[in-house]
Amino acid sequence: MMPGTDAVRDRLEARLAALGARVERIEEAQREPLDDDLSEQAVAREDDEALDGIERAAIEDIAHIRQALARLDAGTYGQCVACGEVIAEARLDALPNATRCINCAHDADG
């Protein structure tokens, strides 16, 4: 396991909790009954579409963070899944759930 994994785990778990709370708030907001006014209903539906996009992104981030936590548990956190090399610390600081080194990420993006 790489040095500083406790701090990484804490950071990932904090982000996971924040994203979970965001998803819950979105779901609560979408459970609220619609207004009787049709124009208000239209606005609410547009808001729901935007919230759906935010929720999908949060759920995707949650999945990536859980995968990063699993890599921490397996002792493979910080290792590129494509080439096996160590992912630069600066990259992991910026994107703690990164699965690829910068070179492999660049190659995968085309």
Side-chain angles (χ1 to χ4, degrees), residues 15-70:
R15 180 74 178 141
L16 189 62
L19 288 167
R22 177 183 293 167
V23 168
E24 181 58 33
R25 284 191 308 272
I26 290 169
E27 290 175 354
E28 285 176 15
Q30 291 182 328
R31 284 192 294 265
E32 292 179 6
L34 291 175
D35 193 290
D36 289 336
D37 184 302
L38 292 178
S39 64
E40 290 296 323
Q41 286 182 16
V43 170
R45 286 193 176 112
E46 287 179 15
D47 290 347
D48 283 350
E49 288 178 23
L51 288 175
D52 285 343
I54 293 168
E55 183 179 27
R56 279 190 302 275
I59 290 169
E60 185 176 319
D61 285 347
I62 287 169
H64 290 289
I65 290 169
R66 286 184 176 148
Q67 292 167 359
L69 288 167

Side-chain angles (χ1 to χ4, degrees), residues 12 64 68 71 76-81 87-88 91-102 105:
L12 289 169
H64 290 289
R71 288 191 304 278
T76 60
Y77 180 81
Q79 182 179 352
C80 179
V81 297
I87 299 172
R91 179 164 171 76
L92 290 171
D93 284 343
L95 187 62
N97 56 335
T99 60
R100 297 174 187 263
C101 67
I102 194 70

